[in-house]
């Protein structure tokens, strides 16, 4: 069990966003989280990455375990954030060159060893499937890339700090179908080494890539299971209603 | 590897501490300004009593015993500033409505930088132009011996605070949610009707804030009123009489007052009154924003 | 029909108000150029005032120098604390009562009438610390005056930097400072600089604080910290109020406004730079 969430409750101000969440994300599998917007998917991801606590009025109870250790008891917050790599919904290219984007976090941790950073740059861009497209313009501003390329750049940037878990918050919601396909294939590749958690509101996407699917509603986990089972034979009334509303 | 990270975290912590310290000093500076006003003027407050100073209308600091009523100046300040807000409010609101709702984008793109420039023109230039043009105009057309008056000062202050009112009111109008506009326009009313009957009431808070801020600016303004208000110690009886606002009093007499004398202390009392006025205005604005 | 007429009337009113703003600036500028333009010459800019009473002839060179030094001291004393406070407010302060207090302080300081700042500087620098009427006292008074302006403009400049960058930085586990140095500062710098320039313009035109702490009718403005100086806005005030030379007063006023226009132009240019960088 890579990530294990026990009785997690999260409040922002007086509103309870997550209610008594109990989940496991397994190694080398892709877990999709689906649900209507505003159901707490993003907050869940950001709680795992420990950036939710930057929001005003954040409070939480319960445990999130990474390899058996409670991440909320660790004092090395930035270490936790690196292990739980997070990719945001909108593709963000930092206003730096492509290469500096990729090694942004790595340079922070490892200093200025140029050769090492070059290796990381090449390895991560290859992993993110972007190397062939950008290898001749590594020093160009990353802002010149297309939306899909920026999203893969974001993934490369996260990979460069060697995460154990990859959290993606609707990574394809602003991309065209072709870029979406590229990213989905990439995720399947990455899941051979990492734990991948994919928040999506595209049920087809969950069906295409995820081994397991979790359905959330109003801050609670309604149902979870292997993707095939979930989609062919959902147990709960709400799940059925949600799936049918969008699929049929 | 870990060492580098610790190092980086230490640097970050250090920067955070510096930032915290400097920011805290800001508050200390404001407190120091207030403390100085209080400390320097304390002797006259306790010798004459606050009522006699604030409500007193007799200012002869060099007489024995000195008479230090600044009531005349307080009245002048309020009169000038209220007059300016009164004159610039309709103009400023109309200008803000124009910018927010009616101006073609290219014209708004010209007017906004112009507002910035108008805010930036030094007050001494406003005072000078006002004195050279307005006062001449009054002297010539109304056959007056000298054209200075509280009204003149209000007129120039009107121009000076106009950009503040326009800018702040415009952002208040813009912060009204779009849905209201669409809902109202869908009912087929004219844009003018929508603006006056829907947007203005909804933006009431922001518009009030703009006026209050403008009042604070006008009350604290020195050079323009110094050059236009006429600087007499008589109690102003109408908008068209001369007067000497608090700020002008301080600017004119600080250099000639003997340090530590009752005169000197009374000028700090005047400064304290101005400071309290402005701080009250800002607290009011903050409360207004919170609702 | 009545409704129609009324609407038209309002529309005319709104347009009038909008055009009035343009008219005010055009009027002031036009009038100053008309009356002050002929006075502005190389000689006016580079010679000291002469004649009897002093200033009736000659130029304003020592006043330009004095104002330059005053602004220099003001900017030097206010820029660092101002930017640091802004950084604290935007980057480091968690939403807390302390942050609210700092924000309120800055807002209050921005509202303090410049004559009160002058009064404070007079009591503290001129009297208590014994600087006398001097360049240093005036520069520091102006520094206190522009400090809140710098905080507010820098704060807004930093806030305008894409919030997503900060989230990316945080989720990669890098420190706030690293993020500031690598991304936020380079992005916000043009706006911060233009804010500082505007503050400098504000200081250059301020008369009241300088009048009570630093400026005299005539001085060499050598740049010595503990001597009084001449300053352009105060010179304008004296030329007019002592009825020395109304033409030269127009020239000085025009000079002040031109200075402001140049600063505004530079600011606009800096803003356009930012558009390309991002």
């Amino acid at each position: 069990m890579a990530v294990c969430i026990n009785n997690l409750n999260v409040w922002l101000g007086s509103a309870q966003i997550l209610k008594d969440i109990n989940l496991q994300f397994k190694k080398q599998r892709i877990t999709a989280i689906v649900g209507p917007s505003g159901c707490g998917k993003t907050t869940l991801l950001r709680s795992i990455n420990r950036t939710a606590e930057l929001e005003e009025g954040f409070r939480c109870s319960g445990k999130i375990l990474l390899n058996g250790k409670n991440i909320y008891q660790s004092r090395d917050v930035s270490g936790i954030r690196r292990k739980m790599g997070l990719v945001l919904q909108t593709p963000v290219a930092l206003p730096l060159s492509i290469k500096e984007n990729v090694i942004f976090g790595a340079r922070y941790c490892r200093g200025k060893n140029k050769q090492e950073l070059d290796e990381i740059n090449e390895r991560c861009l290859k992993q993110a499937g972007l190397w062939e497209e950008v290898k001749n313009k590594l020093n160009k501003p990353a802002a010149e890339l297309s939306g899909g390329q920026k999203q893969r750049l974001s993934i490369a940037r996260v990979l460069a700090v060697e995460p154990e878990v990859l959290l993606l918050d609707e990574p394809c919601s602003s991309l065209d179908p072709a870029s979406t396909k590229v990213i989905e294939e990439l995720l399947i590749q990455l899941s051979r080494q990492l734990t991948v958690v994919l928040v999506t509101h595209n049920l087809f996407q969950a069906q295409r890539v995820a081994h397991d699917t979790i359905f959330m509603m109003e801050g609670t986990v309604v149902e979870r299971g292997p993707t095939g089972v979930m989609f062919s034979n959902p147990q709960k009334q709400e799940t059925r209603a949600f799936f049918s509303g969008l699929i049929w | 590897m870990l060492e580098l990270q610790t190092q980086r975290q230490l640097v970050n912590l250090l920067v955070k501490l510096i930032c915290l310290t400097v920011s805290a000093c800001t508050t200390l500076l404001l407190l120091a300004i207030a403390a100085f006003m209080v400390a320097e003027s304390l002797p006259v407050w306790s010798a004459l009593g606050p009522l006699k100073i604030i409500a007193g209308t007799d200012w002869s600091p060099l007489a024995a015993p000195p008479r230090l009523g600044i009531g005349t100046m307080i009245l002048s300040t309020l009169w000038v500033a209220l007059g300016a807000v009164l004159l610039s409010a309709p103009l400023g609101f109309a200008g803000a409505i124009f910018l927010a709702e009616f101006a073609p984008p290219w014209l708004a793109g010209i007017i906004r930088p112009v507002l910035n420039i108008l805010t930036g023109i030094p007050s001494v230039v406003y005072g000078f132009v006002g004195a050279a043009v307005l006062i001449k105009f009054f002297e010539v057309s109304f056959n007056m011996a000298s054209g200075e008056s509280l009204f003149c000062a209000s007129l120039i202050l009107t121009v000076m605070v106009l950009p503040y009112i326009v800018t702040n009111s415009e952002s208040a109008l813009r912060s009204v949610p779009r849905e209201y506009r669409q809902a109202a326009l869908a009912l087929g009313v004219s844009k003018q009707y929508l603006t006056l009957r829907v947007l203005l009431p909804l933006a009431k808070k922001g518009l009030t804030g703009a006026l209050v801020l403008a009042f604070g600016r006008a009350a604290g303004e020195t050079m323009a009123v110094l050059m236009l208000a006429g600087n007499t110690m008589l109690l102003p009886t109408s908008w068209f009489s001369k007067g000497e606002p608090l700020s002008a009093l301080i600017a004119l007499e600080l250099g000639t007052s003997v340090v530590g004398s009752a005169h000197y202390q009374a000028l700090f009392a005047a400064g304290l009154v101005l400071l309290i006025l402005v701080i009250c205005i800002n607290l009011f604005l903050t409360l207004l924003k919170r609702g | 029909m009545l409704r129609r007429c009324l609407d038209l009337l309002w529309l005319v009113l709104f347009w009038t108000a909008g055009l009035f703003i343009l008219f005010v600036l055009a009027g002031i500028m036009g009038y100053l150029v008309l009356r002050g333009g002929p006075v502005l010459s190389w000689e006016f800019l580079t010679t000291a005032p002469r004649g009897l009473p002093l200033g009736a002839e000659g130029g304003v060179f020592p006043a330009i120098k004095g104002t330059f030094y005053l602004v220099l001291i003001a900017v030097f004393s206010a820029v660092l604390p101002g930017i640091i406070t802004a950084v604290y407010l935007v980057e480091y302060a968690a939403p807390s009562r302390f942050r609210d207090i700092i924000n309120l302080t800055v807002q209050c300081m921005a509202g303090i009438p410049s004559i009160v700042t002058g009064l404070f500087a007079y009591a503290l620098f001129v009297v208590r610390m014994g600087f006398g009427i001097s360049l240093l006292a005036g520069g520091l008074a102006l520094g206190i005056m522009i400090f809140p302006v710098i905080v507010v403009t820098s704060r807004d400049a930093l806030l305008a930097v894409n919030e997503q960058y900060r989230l990316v930085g945080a989720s990669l586990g890098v420190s706030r400072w690293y993020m500031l140095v690598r991304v936020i500062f380079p992005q916000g710098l043009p706006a911060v600089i233009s804010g500082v320039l505007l503050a400098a313009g504000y200081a250059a035109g301020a008369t009241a604080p300088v009048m009570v702490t630093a400026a005299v009718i005539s001085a060499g403005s050598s740049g010595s910290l503990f001597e009084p100086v001449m300053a352009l806005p105060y010179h304008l005030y004296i030329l007019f109020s002592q009825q020395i030379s109304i033409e030269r007063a127009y020239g000085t006023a025009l000079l002040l406004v031109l200075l402001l226009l140049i600063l505004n132009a530079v600011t606009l240019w800096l803003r356009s730079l930012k558009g390309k960088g991002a």
Side-chain angles (χ1 to χ4, degrees):
Chain A
M1 256 348 120
V3 180
C4 195
I5 302 174
N6 294 334
N7 303 73
L8 180 74
N9 289 283
V10 170
W11 295 264
L12 288 177
S14 56
Q16 187 168 7
I17 309 295
L18 297 177
K19 295 164 195 159
D20 203 24
I21 305 280
N22 285 288
L23 286 173
Q24 288 85 40
F25 301 122
K26 296 177 194 121
K27 259 187 193 133
Q28 297 177 3
R29 285 176 84 89
I30 300 178
T31 310
I33 303 177
V34 297
S37 45
C39 70
K41 295 171 293 190
T42 299
T43 307
L44 177 62
L45 277 202
R46 293 191 52 193
S47 300
I48 302 172
N49 171 254
R50 284 201 71 174
T51 45
E53 65 205 66
L54 298 173
E55 300 294 319
E56 204 168 337
F58 173 87
R59 267 184 314 130
C60 75
S61 71
K63 287 183 200 160
I64 298 178
L65 306 172
L66 173 65
N67 301 329
K69 282 188 196 133
N70 187 351
I71 63 166
Y72 276 88
Q73 273 168 2
S74 166
R75 296 184 61 198
D76 181 19
V77 179
S78 49
I80 296 294
R81 287 177 182 164
R82 280 193 287 275
K83 282 185 190 142
M84 305 285 199
L86 174 68
V87 176
L88 304 178
Q89 183 171 2
T90 41
V92 180
L94 298 174
L96 301 163
S97 71
I98 294 172
K99 183 177 155 193
E100 286 299 329
N101 256 284
V102 177
I103 59 176
F104 187 78
R107 188 192 277 277
Y108 176 82
C109 314
R110 291 160 180 254
K112 287 181 180 146
N113 186 338
K114 190 175 179 309
Q115 202 194 343
E116 199 182 0
L117 290 177
D118 280 346
E119 281 168 21
I120 292 175
N121 178 41
E122 187 172 339
R123 173 174 60 80
C124 294
L125 280 173
K126 277 180 177 157
Q127 266 184 305
L130 198 58
W131 176 251
E132 291 302 320
E133 291 159 60
V134 302
K135 65 181 176 190
N136 294 322
K137 50 176 186 178
L138 289 173
N139 293 316
K140 289 272 175 58
E144 290 173 8
L145 296 176
S146 73
Q149 287 175 322
K150 276 185 194 161
Q151 198 58 294
R152 277 179 284 156
L153 183 71
S154 307
I155 294 173
R157 188 169 56 207
V158 170
L159 292 176
V161 293
E162 293 166 358
E164 293 181 27
V165 181
L166 191 60
L167 310 163
L168 303 105
D169 187 1
E170 301 187 15
C172 305
S173 63
S174 59
L175 303 182
D176 58 78
S179 307
T180 303
K181 187 157 178 284
V182 175
I183 296 222
E184 284 173 4
E185 280 160 9
L186 169 63
L187 290 183
I188 292 169
Q189 293 236 325
L190 288 172
S191 69
R192 298 198 184 121
Q193 303 144 42
L194 300 166
T195 310
V196 178
V197 181
L198 171 71
V199 161
T200 178
H201 54 207
N202 180 343
L203 293 175
F204 293 114
Q205 184 169 54
Q207 267 184 310
R208 282 193 298 264
V209 299
H211 303 109
D212 302 301
T213 298
I214 294 166
F215 173 59
M216 281 178 70
M217 219 167 103
E218 290 167 358
T220 55
V221 173
V222 176
E223 192 169 350
R224 62 196 163 99
T227 304
V229 180
M230 276 280 279
F231 278 86
S232 58
N233 188 18
Q235 298 298 309
K236 297 270 173 59
Q237 183 58 41
E238 295 96 323
T239 320
R240 226 169 291 150
F242 181 71
F243 285 179
S244 60
L246 282 164
I247 295 174
W248 293 291
Chain B
M1 177 173 145
L2 198 80
E3 215 167 280
L4 178 72
Q5 280 182 53
T6 327
Q7 201 184 323
R8 285 197 193 273
Q9 274 166 6
L10 279 178
V11 170
N12 186 50
L13 196 67
L14 191 70
V15 173
K16 183 175 179 174
L17 274 177
I18 293 172
C19 288
L20 187 72
T21 320
V22 172
S23 312
C25 288
T26 313
T27 313
L28 289 185
L29 182 63
L30 181 68
L31 287 179
I33 294 176
F36 256 81
M37 295 299 131
V38 173
E40 297 282 339
S41 62
L42 201 58
V44 287
W45 288 118
S46 54
L48 293 172
L51 194 70
K52 232 178 165 181
I53 294 180
I54 288 178
T57 54
D58 188 1
W59 174 264
S60 17
L62 299 178
R67 293 190 292 277
L68 301 166
I70 55 173
T72 325
M73 294 76 171
I74 294 178
L75 189 63
S76 295
T77 295
L78 294 179
W79 208 314
V80 165
L82 280 177
V85 172
L86 201 70
L87 289 175
S88 56
L91 209 56
F93 287 164
I97 292 173
F98 180 68
L99 271 186
E101 303 292 328
F102 294 95
W106 63 270
L107 190 57
I110 297 176
I111 291 181
R112 285 205 192 91
V114 163
L115 284 172
N116 273 338
I117 293 173
L118 281 178
T119 326
I121 291 182
S123 68
V124 67
V125 171
Y126 277 113
F128 168 64
V129 170
V133 179
L134 269 184
I135 290 182
K136 269 279 155 45
F137 173 76
F138 274 91
E139 283 172 5
V140 171
S141 47
F142 296 100
N143 218 356
M144 302 203 285
S146 66
E148 291 111 332
S149 67
L150 294 179
F151 180 71
C152 271
S154 285
L155 269 185
I156 273 298
L157 284 182
T158 302
V159 175
M160 292 179 71
V161 298
L162 186 65
Y164 290 101
I165 297 192
V166 174
T167 317
N168 288 310
S169 310
E170 193 204 344
S171 58
L173 286 172
R174 283 193 184 278
S175 64
V176 174
R178 291 215 71 81
E179 297 85 70
Y180 287 106
R181 285 159 225 256
Q182 279 148 7
L185 286 177
L187 293 175
V189 301
S190 73
K191 210 171 171 188
Q192 284 87 332
Y193 186 87
L194 161 79
T195 315
L196 294 167
R197 290 295 173 82
V198 182
L199 295 188
L200 277 191
L202 282 170
K204 204 163 54 187
K205 240 185 194 177
L207 299 180
T208 319
L211 286 190
V212 173
L213 188 74
F215 176 77
R217 291 269 155 196
E221 181 44 52
T222 311
M223 293 320 286
V225 296
L226 177 64
M227 294 164 93
L228 285 152
N231 301 330
T232 57
M233 297 296 165
L234 297 174
L235 193 70
T237 51
S238 83
W239 205 356
F240 296 93
S241 38
K242 297 181 198 305
E244 180 168 304
L246 286 170
S247 49
L249 172 82
I250 301 171
L252 280 176
E253 301 200 0
L254 185 61
T256 56
S257 69
V258 178
V259 174
S261 67
H263 184 193
Y264 179 80
Q265 289 159 358
L267 292 178
F268 280 88
L272 183 62
V273 171
L274 265 183
L275 188 66
I276 290 175
L277 181 71
V278 165
I279 288 184
C280 285
I281 285 173
N282 278 295
L283 288 179
F284 175 76
L285 280 177
T286 312
L287 288 179
L288 193 74
K289 262 181 219 157
R290 282 197 196 145
Chain C
M1 194 59 213
L2 183 69
R3 192 71 253 166
R4 273 268 179 84
C5 282
L6 219 56
D7 277 350
L8 194 68
L9 207 68
W10 279 114
L11 193 63
V12 170
L13 180 80
F14 296 149
W15 271 88
T16 317
L19 294 179
F20 177 76
I21 296 167
L22 293 180
F23 167 77
V24 167
L25 183 72
I28 293 177
M29 282 307 298
Y31 191 68
L32 285 180
V33 168
L34 200 69
R35 298 290 304 266
V39 184
L40 277 194
S41 64
W42 184 244
E43 196 214 344
F44 183 72
L45 295 179
T46 55
T47 61
R50 290 190 314 271
L52 200 81
L54 192 76
E57 291 168 43
V60 292
F61 184 58
I64 295 177
K65 245 176 32 176
T67 288
F68 176 73
Y69 289 135
L70 283 168
V71 171
L72 211 61
I73 294 178
V75 169
F76 263 95
S77 60
V79 110
L80 212 56
I83 292 179
I84 289 177
T85 306
V87 166
Y88 176 74
L89 286 174
V90 179
E91 305 293 340
Y92 285 104
S96 63
R97 178 141 299 183
F98 183 68
R99 189 180 72 175
D100 293 346
I101 289 176
I102 303 277
N103 266 321
L104 184 63
T105 305
V106 171
Q107 196 195 329
C108 277
M109 283 190 77
I112 291 181
S114 60
I115 185 66
V116 174
T117 311
L119 199 59
F120 169 72
Y122 185 80
L124 179 63
F125 302 127
V126 176
V127 178
R128 289 276 166 96
M129 293 172 103
F131 296 169
I133 299 290
S134 63
L135 173 59
L136 185 60
L140 291 177
L142 292 180
I144 296 175
M145 190 187 81
I146 63 173
F147 167 76
V149 181
I150 294 182
V151 176
V152 171
T153 49
S154 315
R155 185 186 66 192
D156 293 350
L158 292 176
L159 280 177
V161 176
N162 191 345
E163 184 59 34
Q164 298 272 334
Y165 295 160
R166 293 190 180 88
L167 191 54
V168 166
S171 67
L172 287 173
V174 305
S175 72
R176 287 263 170 187
W177 178 240
Y178 184 77
M179 201 59 205
L180 263 168
V181 173
R182 299 278 323 267
V183 176
I184 312 274
F185 269 145
Q187 283 292 294
L189 201 60
V192 169
I193 292 177
S194 63
V196 171
L197 283 181
L198 285 181
Y202 179 40
T207 320
V210 168
M211 178 172 169
V212 294
T213 55
V216 290
I217 294 179
S218 168
S221 302
S222 62
S224 156
L225 284 179
F226 295 102
E227 274 170 29
V229 289
M230 286 179 72
L232 273 178
Y234 183 64
H235 189 61
L236 166 60
Y237 171 67
I238 289 297
L239 285 178
F240 175 77
S241 66
Q242 310 288 330
Q243 302 291 326
I244 294 173
S245 164
I246 191 91
E247 287 79 41
R248 260 143 237 286
Y250 276 113
T252 314
L254 181 60
L255 192 61
L256 271 172
V257 174
L258 285 180
L259 185 77
L260 174 87
L261 284 181
I262 292 171
L263 280 176
N264 264 288
V266 174
T267 312
L268 283 179
W269 175 70
L270 277 172
R271 297 255 158 88
S272 71
L273 271 190
K274 199 209 150 202
K276 276 177 213 155

